[in-house]
């Protein structure tokens, strides 16, 4: 892997996992020394991240990790709803039945992944990522898949706006199971409807959790934007 690719992969992972939270300044000298690369490949990595919307220029601060907000969540879910319902319909027409039956079975057993000691629950989110990959491959529409991948990149960060509630994750696993079962059965209508319900509940959870954080902040005498508070 080239130095620029290595720097890009590391920075992207750190941004999506909020190891580099919104507002973090990405100084060339500091980051090149930290990542062990020269400034030329670092610039290439930062340019790629800027193209994805994960990094942007801020007056007086240089390049910073871009902010996320509740408004971003609402807008992204509007796009996601349309794209993922269509993807589910397309997948139900031609998907590998056994593949989605297997994914449904994994989601039925997802409680053990959610209860894992890993606070980031990587095993569970890896399962979700495999479901997304299977959905994309089955939809077989390059333009649709490219749009979905861009939306999901930002949704990965927005997911951190929500309190990581194990009960919600178990419900989400059950919702994914129903989508997978509908696709395996070739039922377009059910696949789209189950997708819509899942996305509705996911957004509602994010908005409710963000409101809880905001109320707590107000009670304690400060009311800065959520993305600023997450840096602390």
């Amino acid at each position: 892997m080239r130095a620029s690719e290595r720097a890009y992969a590391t920075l992207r992972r750190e941004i999506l996992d909020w190891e580099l939270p919104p507002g973090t300044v990405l100084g060339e000298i500091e980051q090149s020394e930290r990542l062990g690369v020269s400034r030329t490949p670092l610039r290439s990595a930062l340019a790629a991240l800027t193209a994805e919307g994960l990094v942007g220029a801020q007056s007086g601060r240089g390049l910073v990790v871009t902010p996320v907000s509740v408004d971003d969540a609402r807008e992204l879910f509007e796009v996601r709803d349309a794209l993922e319902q269509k993807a589910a319909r397309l997948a139900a027409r031609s998907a590998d039945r056994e593949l989605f039956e297997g994914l449904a079975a994994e989601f039925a057993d997802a409680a053990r992944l959610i209860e894992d000691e890993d606070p980031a629950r990587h095993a569970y989110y890896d399962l979700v990522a495999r479901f997304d990959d299977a959905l994309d491959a089955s939809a077989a529409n390059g333009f649709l898949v490219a749009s979905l991948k861009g939306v999901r990149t930002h949704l990965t960060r927005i997911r951190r706006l929500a309190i990581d509630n194990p009960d919600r994750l178990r419900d989400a696993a059950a919702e994914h199971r129903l989508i997978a079962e509908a696709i395996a059965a070739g039922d377009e209508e059910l696949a789209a409807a189950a997708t819509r319900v899942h996305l509705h509940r996911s957004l509602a959870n994010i908005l409710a959790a963000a409101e809880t954080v905001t109320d707590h902040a107000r009670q304690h005498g400060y009311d800065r934007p959520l993305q600023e508070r997450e840096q602390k």
Side-chain angles (χ1 to χ4, degrees):
M1 183 182 292
R2 294 183 303 174
S4 59
E5 294 171 341
R6 188 172 68 252
Y8 165 79
T10 299
L11 287 170
R12 189 177 190 276
R13 177 188 58 76
E14 291 174 340
I15 290 170
L16 294 182
D17 287 349
W18 284 51
E19 293 175 27
L20 293 175
T24 300
V25 177
L26 300 174
E28 284 189 7
I29 296 176
E30 176 189 355
Q31 295 302 322
S32 62
E33 290 178 351
R34 184 177 72 87
L35 298 172
V37 299
S38 66
R39 293 171 72 176
T40 297
L42 176 68
R43 286 170 184 160
S44 296
L46 291 173
L49 293 167
T50 299
E52 286 188 83
L54 297 174
V55 170
Q58 188 172 96
S59 179
R61 303 182 73 194
L63 290 178
V64 302
V65 177
T66 53
V68 293
S69 69
V70 169
D71 286 340
D72 292 335
R74 290 192 180 96
E75 292 177 5
L76 280 167
F77 268 83
E78 287 177 356
V79 177
R80 186 187 183 192
D81 184 50
L83 294 176
E84 291 210 3
Q85 282 196 62
K86 184 61 176 179
R89 288 181 180 276
L90 291 173
R93 294 177 189 175
S94 59
D96 180 334
R97 179 187 181 97
E98 291 186 0
L99 172 60
F100 280 89
E101 286 177 342
L103 287 166
E106 289 191 67
F107 278 113
D109 192 37
R112 63 182 181 83
L113 304 179
I114 295 167
E115 294 163 5
D116 190 275
E117 293 182 1
D118 174 15
R121 295 181 172 84
H122 286 103
Y124 172 73
Y125 287 116
D126 285 346
L127 171 58
V128 173
R130 286 193 287 113
F131 172 83
D132 288 342
D133 288 342
L135 181 70
D136 293 350
S138 299
N141 182 315
F143 295 106
L144 176 63
V145 169
S147 298
L148 268 175
K149 287 187 182 297
V151 169
R152 288 182 187 136
T153 293
H154 294 283
L155 286 172
T156 299
R157 288 207 298 160
I158 283 178
R159 191 172 64 211
R160 287 292 304 272
L161 291 176
I163 299 169
D164 199 5
N165 184 337
D167 289 336
R168 171 57 203 153
L169 292 181
R170 281 188 283 270
D171 288 343
E175 293 157 15
H176 275 101
R177 178 185 178 182
L178 180 56
I179 298 168
E181 289 174 342
I183 291 173
D187 190 329
E188 292 184 39
E189 294 300 324
L190 179 56
T195 297
R196 184 176 185 183
V197 169
H198 168 63
L199 297 180
H200 171 77
R201 290 178 176 172
S202 295
L203 177 58
N205 180 62
I206 289 172
L207 297 180
E211 184 62 29
T212 297
V213 172
T214 300
D215 287 345
H216 178 79
R218 288 169 179 160
Q219 290 171 9
H220 288 78
Y222 63 96
D223 190 23
R224 288 171 291 166
L226 182 60
Q227 61 265 26
E228 292 182 14
R229 296 197 298 275
E230 287 285 358
Q231 296 179 53
K232 301 303 179 182

